Short mmCIF file of all heavy atoms in Angstrom, two decimals:
data_model
loop_
_atom_site.label_atom_id
_atom_site.label_comp_id
_atom_site.label_asym_id
_atom_site.label_seq_id
_atom_site.Cartn_x
_atom_site.Cartn_y
_atom_site.Cartn_z
N MET A 1 47.37 37.69 -178.63
CA MET A 1 48.24 36.54 -178.74
C MET A 1 48.89 36.58 -180.12
O MET A 1 48.53 35.85 -181.03
CB MET A 1 47.41 35.27 -178.54
CG MET A 1 48.23 34.04 -178.48
SD MET A 1 47.23 32.79 -177.69
CE MET A 1 48.43 31.51 -177.64
N ALA A 2 49.81 37.45 -180.29
CA ALA A 2 50.47 37.64 -181.58
C ALA A 2 51.32 36.43 -181.93
O ALA A 2 51.95 35.83 -181.07
CB ALA A 2 51.33 38.89 -181.55
N GLY A 3 51.31 36.09 -183.18
CA GLY A 3 52.17 35.01 -183.66
C GLY A 3 51.63 33.62 -183.43
O GLY A 3 52.35 32.65 -183.59
N ALA A 4 50.37 33.48 -183.04
CA ALA A 4 49.83 32.14 -182.85
C ALA A 4 49.91 31.36 -184.15
O ALA A 4 49.48 31.83 -185.19
CB ALA A 4 48.38 32.21 -182.37
N GLY A 5 50.49 30.21 -184.09
CA GLY A 5 50.63 29.38 -185.27
C GLY A 5 51.84 29.72 -186.10
O GLY A 5 52.08 29.10 -187.12
N GLY A 6 52.61 30.70 -185.67
CA GLY A 6 53.80 31.07 -186.43
C GLY A 6 54.91 30.05 -186.22
O GLY A 6 54.96 29.38 -185.20
N ALA A 7 55.80 29.95 -187.14
CA ALA A 7 56.89 28.99 -187.04
C ALA A 7 57.94 29.48 -186.05
O ALA A 7 58.36 30.63 -186.10
CB ALA A 7 57.53 28.78 -188.41
N GLY A 8 58.30 28.63 -185.12
CA GLY A 8 59.39 28.94 -184.19
C GLY A 8 59.10 30.09 -183.26
O GLY A 8 60.02 30.78 -182.85
N GLY A 9 57.83 30.31 -182.92
CA GLY A 9 57.49 31.41 -182.04
C GLY A 9 58.05 31.21 -180.64
O GLY A 9 58.21 30.10 -180.16
N ALA A 10 58.38 32.31 -179.98
CA ALA A 10 58.89 32.24 -178.63
C ALA A 10 57.72 32.08 -177.67
O ALA A 10 56.63 32.54 -177.93
CB ALA A 10 59.68 33.51 -178.30
N GLY A 11 57.97 31.44 -176.57
CA GLY A 11 56.92 31.26 -175.57
C GLY A 11 57.22 30.05 -174.73
O GLY A 11 58.11 29.27 -175.02
N GLY A 12 56.44 29.90 -173.65
CA GLY A 12 56.68 28.81 -172.73
C GLY A 12 56.26 27.46 -173.27
O GLY A 12 56.86 26.44 -172.97
N ALA A 13 55.22 27.43 -174.11
CA ALA A 13 54.71 26.16 -174.62
C ALA A 13 55.48 25.73 -175.86
O ALA A 13 56.02 26.55 -176.59
CB ALA A 13 53.22 26.30 -174.97
N ALA A 14 55.53 24.44 -176.06
CA ALA A 14 56.19 23.91 -177.26
C ALA A 14 55.40 24.35 -178.49
O ALA A 14 54.19 24.43 -178.46
CB ALA A 14 56.25 22.39 -177.19
N SER A 15 56.10 24.63 -179.57
CA SER A 15 55.46 25.06 -180.80
C SER A 15 54.70 23.88 -181.42
O SER A 15 55.24 22.79 -181.54
CB SER A 15 56.52 25.58 -181.77
OG SER A 15 55.90 26.00 -182.96
N VAL A 16 53.45 24.13 -181.80
CA VAL A 16 52.60 23.10 -182.37
C VAL A 16 52.27 23.51 -183.79
O VAL A 16 51.86 24.65 -184.04
CB VAL A 16 51.30 22.93 -181.55
CG1 VAL A 16 50.36 21.95 -182.20
CG2 VAL A 16 51.62 22.52 -180.14
N ALA A 17 52.43 22.61 -184.74
CA ALA A 17 52.11 22.91 -186.13
C ALA A 17 50.60 22.99 -186.29
O ALA A 17 49.87 22.15 -185.78
CB ALA A 17 52.68 21.83 -187.04
N LEU A 18 50.14 24.02 -186.98
CA LEU A 18 48.72 24.20 -187.26
C LEU A 18 48.50 24.04 -188.75
O LEU A 18 49.33 24.43 -189.56
CB LEU A 18 48.26 25.58 -186.80
CG LEU A 18 48.45 25.88 -185.32
CD1 LEU A 18 47.98 27.29 -185.00
CD2 LEU A 18 47.73 24.87 -184.45
N ILE A 19 47.35 23.46 -189.10
CA ILE A 19 47.04 23.20 -190.50
C ILE A 19 45.71 23.85 -190.87
O ILE A 19 44.85 24.06 -190.02
CB ILE A 19 47.01 21.69 -190.81
CG1 ILE A 19 45.95 20.98 -189.97
CG2 ILE A 19 48.38 21.07 -190.60
CD1 ILE A 19 45.72 19.53 -190.36
N SER A 20 45.56 24.14 -192.16
CA SER A 20 44.33 24.75 -192.66
C SER A 20 43.19 23.73 -192.67
O SER A 20 43.41 22.51 -192.58
CB SER A 20 44.55 25.26 -194.08
OG SER A 20 44.71 24.16 -194.97
N GLY A 21 41.98 24.23 -192.82
CA GLY A 21 40.81 23.36 -192.91
C GLY A 21 40.87 22.43 -194.10
O GLY A 21 40.48 21.26 -194.01
N ASP A 22 41.38 22.93 -195.24
CA ASP A 22 41.49 22.08 -196.43
C ASP A 22 42.46 20.93 -196.20
O ASP A 22 42.18 19.78 -196.56
CB ASP A 22 41.94 22.90 -197.64
CG ASP A 22 40.86 23.84 -198.14
OD1 ASP A 22 39.67 23.63 -197.81
OD2 ASP A 22 41.21 24.77 -198.88
N LEU A 23 43.59 21.22 -195.58
CA LEU A 23 44.57 20.17 -195.30
C LEU A 23 44.04 19.21 -194.23
O LEU A 23 44.22 18.00 -194.33
CB LEU A 23 45.91 20.77 -194.87
CG LEU A 23 47.04 19.79 -194.64
CD1 LEU A 23 47.27 18.91 -195.85
CD2 LEU A 23 48.31 20.53 -194.27
N ALA A 24 43.35 19.76 -193.24
CA ALA A 24 42.75 18.91 -192.20
C ALA A 24 41.76 17.93 -192.82
O ALA A 24 41.75 16.74 -192.48
CB ALA A 24 42.06 19.78 -191.16
N ALA A 25 40.94 18.42 -193.75
CA ALA A 25 39.96 17.57 -194.42
C ALA A 25 40.65 16.46 -195.20
O ALA A 25 40.23 15.30 -195.16
CB ALA A 25 39.09 18.41 -195.34
N ALA A 26 41.73 16.81 -195.90
CA ALA A 26 42.46 15.82 -196.67
C ALA A 26 43.08 14.76 -195.76
O ALA A 26 43.09 13.57 -196.11
CB ALA A 26 43.55 16.49 -197.51
N GLU A 27 43.57 15.16 -194.60
CA GLU A 27 44.22 14.21 -193.68
C GLU A 27 43.26 13.14 -193.18
O GLU A 27 43.66 12.01 -192.96
CB GLU A 27 44.83 14.96 -192.48
CG GLU A 27 46.09 15.70 -192.81
CD GLU A 27 47.27 14.78 -193.10
OE1 GLU A 27 47.34 13.67 -192.54
OE2 GLU A 27 48.12 15.18 -193.90
N VAL A 28 42.00 13.51 -192.95
CA VAL A 28 41.03 12.54 -192.43
C VAL A 28 40.02 12.09 -193.49
O VAL A 28 39.02 11.45 -193.18
CB VAL A 28 40.31 13.06 -191.16
CG1 VAL A 28 41.28 13.18 -190.00
CG2 VAL A 28 39.62 14.38 -191.42
N GLU A 29 40.31 12.46 -194.76
CA GLU A 29 39.52 12.02 -195.90
C GLU A 29 38.04 12.38 -195.78
O GLU A 29 37.15 11.53 -195.95
CB GLU A 29 39.71 10.52 -196.14
CG GLU A 29 41.16 10.18 -196.46
CD GLU A 29 41.40 8.70 -196.66
OE1 GLU A 29 40.52 7.87 -196.33
OE2 GLU A 29 42.48 8.36 -197.14
N VAL A 30 37.78 13.65 -195.45
CA VAL A 30 36.43 14.20 -195.46
C VAL A 30 36.47 15.49 -196.28
O VAL A 30 37.54 15.96 -196.67
CB VAL A 30 35.90 14.49 -194.03
CG1 VAL A 30 35.83 13.22 -193.21
CG2 VAL A 30 36.74 15.55 -193.34
N SER A 31 35.32 16.07 -196.54
CA SER A 31 35.28 17.32 -197.29
C SER A 31 35.56 18.49 -196.35
O SER A 31 35.34 18.40 -195.15
CB SER A 31 33.91 17.50 -197.95
OG SER A 31 32.95 17.80 -196.96
N PRO A 32 36.04 19.61 -196.90
CA PRO A 32 36.22 20.81 -196.07
C PRO A 32 34.92 21.24 -195.39
O PRO A 32 34.95 21.77 -194.27
CB PRO A 32 36.71 21.86 -197.07
CG PRO A 32 37.41 21.06 -198.12
CD PRO A 32 36.58 19.79 -198.25
N ALA A 33 33.78 20.98 -196.03
CA ALA A 33 32.49 21.31 -195.42
C ALA A 33 32.27 20.51 -194.13
O ALA A 33 31.67 21.01 -193.18
CB ALA A 33 31.36 21.05 -196.40
N THR A 34 32.77 19.29 -194.09
CA THR A 34 32.66 18.47 -192.88
C THR A 34 33.47 19.09 -191.74
O THR A 34 33.00 19.14 -190.60
CB THR A 34 33.11 17.03 -193.15
OG1 THR A 34 32.26 16.48 -194.17
CG2 THR A 34 33.05 16.18 -191.90
N ILE A 35 34.65 19.58 -192.04
CA ILE A 35 35.46 20.25 -191.02
C ILE A 35 34.70 21.45 -190.48
O ILE A 35 34.61 21.66 -189.26
CB ILE A 35 36.83 20.68 -191.60
CG1 ILE A 35 37.65 19.46 -192.05
CG2 ILE A 35 37.60 21.53 -190.59
CD1 ILE A 35 38.10 18.53 -190.94
N ARG A 36 34.12 22.25 -191.37
CA ARG A 36 33.35 23.42 -190.93
C ARG A 36 32.16 23.01 -190.08
O ARG A 36 31.84 23.67 -189.08
CB ARG A 36 32.89 24.24 -192.14
CG ARG A 36 34.04 24.92 -192.87
CD ARG A 36 33.56 25.91 -193.91
NE ARG A 36 32.78 25.32 -194.98
CZ ARG A 36 33.29 24.81 -196.10
NH1 ARG A 36 34.60 24.84 -196.31
NH2 ARG A 36 32.51 24.31 -197.03
N LYS A 37 31.52 21.91 -190.43
CA LYS A 37 30.37 21.42 -189.67
C LYS A 37 30.79 20.97 -188.27
O LYS A 37 30.09 21.24 -187.29
CB LYS A 37 29.70 20.26 -190.43
CG LYS A 37 28.41 19.82 -189.80
CD LYS A 37 27.43 20.97 -189.74
CE LYS A 37 26.07 20.57 -190.14
NZ LYS A 37 25.12 21.69 -190.10
N TRP A 38 31.95 20.27 -188.18
CA TRP A 38 32.45 19.86 -186.87
C TRP A 38 32.70 21.08 -185.99
O TRP A 38 32.44 21.04 -184.79
CB TRP A 38 33.72 19.05 -187.01
CG TRP A 38 33.53 17.67 -187.60
CD1 TRP A 38 32.35 17.01 -187.78
CD2 TRP A 38 34.55 16.80 -188.08
NE1 TRP A 38 32.58 15.79 -188.35
CE2 TRP A 38 33.91 15.62 -188.54
CE3 TRP A 38 35.93 16.89 -188.17
CZ2 TRP A 38 34.62 14.56 -189.06
CZ3 TRP A 38 36.63 15.82 -188.70
CH2 TRP A 38 35.98 14.67 -189.14
N VAL A 39 33.19 22.16 -186.58
CA VAL A 39 33.42 23.40 -185.82
C VAL A 39 32.08 23.96 -185.36
O VAL A 39 31.92 24.33 -184.18
CB VAL A 39 34.20 24.43 -186.66
CG1 VAL A 39 34.26 25.78 -185.95
CG2 VAL A 39 35.61 23.91 -186.95
N GLN A 40 31.09 24.03 -186.25
CA GLN A 40 29.76 24.54 -185.89
C GLN A 40 29.13 23.75 -184.75
O GLN A 40 28.49 24.32 -183.87
CB GLN A 40 28.81 24.47 -187.09
CG GLN A 40 29.01 25.52 -188.13
CD GLN A 40 28.02 25.35 -189.27
OE1 GLN A 40 27.45 24.27 -189.48
NE2 GLN A 40 27.82 26.41 -190.02
N LEU A 41 29.32 22.43 -184.78
CA LEU A 41 28.72 21.56 -183.77
C LEU A 41 29.53 21.50 -182.47
O LEU A 41 29.11 20.88 -181.51
CB LEU A 41 28.57 20.14 -184.34
CG LEU A 41 27.59 20.01 -185.51
CD1 LEU A 41 27.64 18.60 -186.09
CD2 LEU A 41 26.17 20.35 -185.05
N GLY A 42 30.71 22.13 -182.49
CA GLY A 42 31.54 22.14 -181.29
C GLY A 42 32.43 20.91 -181.14
O GLY A 42 33.03 20.72 -180.08
N HIS A 43 32.54 20.08 -182.17
CA HIS A 43 33.38 18.89 -182.10
C HIS A 43 34.85 19.19 -182.38
O HIS A 43 35.71 18.38 -182.07
CB HIS A 43 32.90 17.83 -183.10
CG HIS A 43 31.46 17.44 -182.90
ND1 HIS A 43 30.94 17.08 -181.68
CD2 HIS A 43 30.43 17.37 -183.78
CE1 HIS A 43 29.66 16.81 -181.81
NE2 HIS A 43 29.32 16.98 -183.07
N LEU A 44 35.11 20.36 -182.99
CA LEU A 44 36.46 20.76 -183.33
C LEU A 44 36.59 22.26 -183.07
O LEU A 44 35.67 23.01 -183.40
CB LEU A 44 36.74 20.45 -184.81
CG LEU A 44 38.10 20.82 -185.38
CD1 LEU A 44 39.22 20.07 -184.66
CD2 LEU A 44 38.15 20.53 -186.87
N THR A 45 37.69 22.65 -182.49
CA THR A 45 37.94 24.06 -182.18
C THR A 45 39.20 24.52 -182.90
O THR A 45 40.22 23.82 -182.86
CB THR A 45 38.11 24.25 -180.66
OG1 THR A 45 36.95 23.76 -180.00
CG2 THR A 45 38.31 25.71 -180.31
N ALA A 46 39.12 25.68 -183.51
CA ALA A 46 40.29 26.24 -184.17
C ALA A 46 41.32 26.63 -183.12
O ALA A 46 40.99 27.12 -182.05
CB ALA A 46 39.90 27.46 -184.99
N ALA A 47 42.58 26.38 -183.43
CA ALA A 47 43.68 26.69 -182.51
C ALA A 47 44.40 27.97 -182.90
O ALA A 47 45.28 28.42 -182.19
CB ALA A 47 44.66 25.52 -182.47
N GLY A 48 44.04 28.55 -184.04
CA GLY A 48 44.69 29.78 -184.48
C GLY A 48 44.05 30.29 -185.75
O GLY A 48 43.07 29.73 -186.25
N ARG A 49 44.62 31.38 -186.25
CA ARG A 49 44.13 32.00 -187.48
C ARG A 49 45.30 32.44 -188.32
O ARG A 49 46.35 32.79 -187.81
CB ARG A 49 43.32 33.25 -187.17
CG ARG A 49 41.93 33.01 -186.74
CD ARG A 49 41.19 34.35 -186.64
NE ARG A 49 39.79 34.12 -186.38
CZ ARG A 49 38.88 34.01 -187.33
NH1 ARG A 49 39.20 34.17 -188.58
NH2 ARG A 49 37.63 33.78 -187.02
N GLN A 50 45.08 32.45 -189.62
CA GLN A 50 46.03 33.05 -190.56
C GLN A 50 45.16 33.91 -191.48
O GLN A 50 44.51 33.39 -192.39
CB GLN A 50 46.77 31.98 -191.35
CG GLN A 50 47.83 32.54 -192.26
CD GLN A 50 48.59 31.43 -192.95
OE1 GLN A 50 48.00 30.44 -193.38
NE2 GLN A 50 49.89 31.58 -193.05
N GLY A 51 45.12 35.20 -191.19
CA GLY A 51 44.17 36.06 -191.89
C GLY A 51 42.76 35.65 -191.50
O GLY A 51 42.44 35.57 -190.32
N ARG A 52 41.96 35.32 -192.51
CA ARG A 52 40.58 34.88 -192.23
C ARG A 52 40.48 33.37 -192.06
O ARG A 52 39.45 32.86 -191.63
CB ARG A 52 39.67 35.31 -193.37
CG ARG A 52 39.48 36.82 -193.41
CD ARG A 52 38.65 37.26 -194.59
NE ARG A 52 37.40 36.53 -194.66
CZ ARG A 52 36.58 36.57 -195.69
NH1 ARG A 52 36.88 37.29 -196.75
NH2 ARG A 52 35.46 35.88 -195.69
N ARG A 53 41.54 32.64 -192.43
CA ARG A 53 41.50 31.17 -192.37
C ARG A 53 41.69 30.67 -190.95
O ARG A 53 42.57 31.12 -190.23
CB ARG A 53 42.60 30.56 -193.23
CG ARG A 53 42.34 30.67 -194.69
CD ARG A 53 43.29 29.91 -195.56
NE ARG A 53 44.55 29.52 -194.94
CZ ARG A 53 45.43 28.76 -195.53
NH1 ARG A 53 45.21 28.31 -196.73
NH2 ARG A 53 46.55 28.45 -194.92
N LEU A 54 40.87 29.70 -190.58
CA LEU A 54 41.04 29.05 -189.29
C LEU A 54 42.07 27.95 -189.44
O LEU A 54 42.15 27.28 -190.46
CB LEU A 54 39.71 28.45 -188.82
CG LEU A 54 38.59 29.45 -188.55
CD1 LEU A 54 37.31 28.71 -188.19
CD2 LEU A 54 38.98 30.41 -187.45
N LEU A 55 42.85 27.77 -188.39
CA LEU A 55 43.89 26.74 -188.37
C LEU A 55 43.61 25.77 -187.23
O LEU A 55 43.10 26.16 -186.18
CB LEU A 55 45.26 27.38 -188.20
CG LEU A 55 45.65 28.40 -189.27
CD1 LEU A 55 46.96 29.07 -188.89
CD2 LEU A 55 45.75 27.74 -190.63
N TYR A 56 43.97 24.52 -187.44
CA TYR A 56 43.64 23.46 -186.48
C TYR A 56 44.88 22.66 -186.13
O TYR A 56 45.78 22.49 -186.95
CB TYR A 56 42.59 22.51 -187.09
CG TYR A 56 41.39 23.24 -187.60
CD1 TYR A 56 41.29 23.63 -188.93
CD2 TYR A 56 40.37 23.58 -186.74
CE1 TYR A 56 40.20 24.33 -189.40
CE2 TYR A 56 39.26 24.28 -187.20
CZ TYR A 56 39.18 24.66 -188.52
OH TYR A 56 38.10 25.36 -188.98
N ARG A 57 44.89 22.11 -184.90
CA ARG A 57 45.94 21.17 -184.52
C ARG A 57 45.55 19.82 -185.11
O ARG A 57 44.40 19.40 -185.00
CB ARG A 57 46.05 21.06 -183.00
CG ARG A 57 46.53 22.33 -182.36
CD ARG A 57 46.75 22.22 -180.86
NE ARG A 57 45.91 21.22 -180.23
CZ ARG A 57 46.21 20.65 -179.06
NH1 ARG A 57 47.29 20.97 -178.42
NH2 ARG A 57 45.41 19.76 -178.54
N LEU A 58 46.51 19.14 -185.71
CA LEU A 58 46.22 17.86 -186.36
C LEU A 58 45.66 16.85 -185.37
O LEU A 58 44.72 16.12 -185.69
CB LEU A 58 47.48 17.32 -187.04
CG LEU A 58 47.30 16.10 -187.93
CD1 LEU A 58 46.25 16.34 -189.00
CD2 LEU A 58 48.62 15.70 -188.56
N GLU A 59 46.18 16.83 -184.16
CA GLU A 59 45.66 15.87 -183.17
C GLU A 59 44.20 16.15 -182.83
O GLU A 59 43.43 15.23 -182.57
CB GLU A 59 46.52 15.85 -181.91
CG GLU A 59 46.55 17.16 -181.15
CD GLU A 59 47.60 17.18 -180.05
OE1 GLU A 59 48.78 17.24 -180.38
OE2 GLU A 59 47.20 17.14 -178.88
N ASP A 60 43.78 17.42 -182.84
CA ASP A 60 42.38 17.76 -182.59
C ASP A 60 41.50 17.28 -183.75
O ASP A 60 40.37 16.83 -183.53
CB ASP A 60 42.20 19.27 -182.42
CG ASP A 60 42.85 19.80 -181.15
OD1 ASP A 60 43.16 18.99 -180.25
OD2 ASP A 60 43.05 21.03 -181.07
N VAL A 61 42.01 17.39 -184.96
CA VAL A 61 41.27 16.92 -186.14
C VAL A 61 41.07 15.41 -186.06
O VAL A 61 39.97 14.91 -186.28
CB VAL A 61 41.99 17.32 -187.44
CG1 VAL A 61 41.29 16.73 -188.66
CG2 VAL A 61 42.10 18.83 -187.56
N PHE A 62 42.14 14.69 -185.70
CA PHE A 62 42.01 13.23 -185.57
C PHE A 62 41.02 12.86 -184.47
O PHE A 62 40.24 11.92 -184.62
CB PHE A 62 43.37 12.59 -185.30
CG PHE A 62 44.28 12.55 -186.50
CD1 PHE A 62 45.63 12.80 -186.36
CD2 PHE A 62 43.80 12.26 -187.76
CE1 PHE A 62 46.48 12.78 -187.46
CE2 PHE A 62 44.63 12.21 -188.87
CZ PHE A 62 45.99 12.48 -188.72
N ALA A 63 41.03 13.59 -183.37
CA ALA A 63 40.10 13.30 -182.27
C ALA A 63 38.66 13.55 -182.71
O ALA A 63 37.76 12.76 -182.39
CB ALA A 63 40.45 14.16 -181.05
N ALA A 64 38.41 14.63 -183.45
CA ALA A 64 37.06 14.92 -183.94
C ALA A 64 36.61 13.84 -184.93
O ALA A 64 35.45 13.43 -184.92
CB ALA A 64 37.04 16.30 -184.60
N GLU A 65 37.54 13.38 -185.76
CA GLU A 65 37.20 12.34 -186.73
C GLU A 65 36.84 11.03 -186.02
O GLU A 65 35.87 10.37 -186.37
CB GLU A 65 38.39 12.14 -187.69
CG GLU A 65 38.09 11.24 -188.86
CD GLU A 65 38.59 9.83 -188.65
OE1 GLU A 65 39.38 9.60 -187.74
OE2 GLU A 65 38.18 8.94 -189.42
N ARG A 66 37.61 10.67 -184.99
CA ARG A 66 37.30 9.44 -184.23
C ARG A 66 35.94 9.57 -183.56
O ARG A 66 35.14 8.63 -183.57
CB ARG A 66 38.39 9.18 -183.18
CG ARG A 66 39.64 8.58 -183.75
CD ARG A 66 40.57 8.07 -182.66
NE ARG A 66 40.91 9.09 -181.68
CZ ARG A 66 41.93 9.93 -181.78
NH1 ARG A 66 42.76 9.88 -182.80
NH2 ARG A 66 42.16 10.82 -180.83
N ALA A 67 35.66 10.72 -182.98
CA ALA A 67 34.38 10.94 -182.31
C ALA A 67 33.22 10.88 -183.31
O ALA A 67 32.17 10.31 -183.01
CB ALA A 67 34.37 12.28 -181.59
N ALA A 68 33.43 11.43 -184.51
CA ALA A 68 32.38 11.39 -185.54
C ALA A 68 32.10 9.96 -185.97
O ALA A 68 30.95 9.59 -186.18
CB ALA A 68 32.82 12.24 -186.73
N ARG A 69 33.14 9.15 -186.08
CA ARG A 69 32.93 7.74 -186.48
C ARG A 69 32.18 6.98 -185.38
O ARG A 69 31.37 6.11 -185.69
CB ARG A 69 34.26 7.08 -186.78
CG ARG A 69 34.91 7.64 -188.02
CD ARG A 69 35.93 6.69 -188.62
NE ARG A 69 36.70 7.31 -189.66
CZ ARG A 69 36.27 7.52 -190.90
NH1 ARG A 69 35.06 7.18 -191.24
NH2 ARG A 69 37.06 8.09 -191.80
N ARG A 70 32.44 7.31 -184.12
CA ARG A 70 31.73 6.66 -183.02
C ARG A 70 30.25 7.05 -183.01
O ARG A 70 29.40 6.23 -182.67
CB ARG A 70 32.34 7.03 -181.67
CG ARG A 70 33.46 6.10 -181.26
CD ARG A 70 33.97 6.47 -179.90
NE ARG A 70 35.08 7.38 -180.20
CZ ARG A 70 35.50 8.38 -179.48
NH1 ARG A 70 34.97 8.66 -178.36
NH2 ARG A 70 36.48 9.14 -179.85
N ARG A 71 29.97 8.30 -183.40
CA ARG A 71 28.57 8.79 -183.40
C ARG A 71 27.76 8.18 -184.53
O ARG A 71 26.55 8.10 -184.43
CB ARG A 71 28.54 10.32 -183.53
CG ARG A 71 28.95 11.04 -182.27
CD ARG A 71 28.69 12.53 -182.40
NE ARG A 71 29.46 13.15 -183.46
CZ ARG A 71 30.67 13.66 -183.32
NH1 ARG A 71 31.28 13.58 -182.16
NH2 ARG A 71 31.30 14.21 -184.34
N SER A 72 28.40 7.79 -185.61
CA SER A 72 27.63 7.29 -186.77
C SER A 72 27.44 5.80 -186.75
O SER A 72 27.91 5.06 -185.98
CB SER A 72 28.31 7.70 -188.06
OG SER A 72 29.62 7.22 -188.14
#
């Protein structure tokens, strides 16, 4: 799946902006370690990669954050 997360990629699906774990953490006001923990626990799934960095859809990050608040 070449070009996943690339800007303006061709394909049938609408292009979705992907963000890094650090930016995802900042958006929901948690630490980057919390984002990694959500991934480990299966509450958040990476939607792409940029080199070694995992990238996430912002809506998935918000959904994981809402679910985490419900669990606590």
Side-chain angles (χ1 to χ4, degrees):
M1 187 161 183
S15 180
V16 175
L18 301 179
I19 60 172
S20 69
D22 289 342
L23 184 54
E27 285 290 329
V28 292
E29 299 178 347
V30 298
S31 72
T34 299
I35 297 294
R36 291 190 298 272
K37 188 59 137 181
W38 289 347
V39 172
Q40 284 180 340
L41 295 173
H43 303 310
L44 179 62
T45 303
R49 280 187 173 268
Q50 184 177 41
R52 291 176 52 191
R53 287 188 342 174
L54 296 176
L55 302 174
Y56 307 94
R57 293 184 333 157
L58 189 55
E59 63 190 71
D60 292 344
V61 175
F62 287 140
E65 189 261 346
R66 282 192 305 271
R69 292 201 190 282
R70 272 183 267 149
R71 286 189 298 271
S72 58

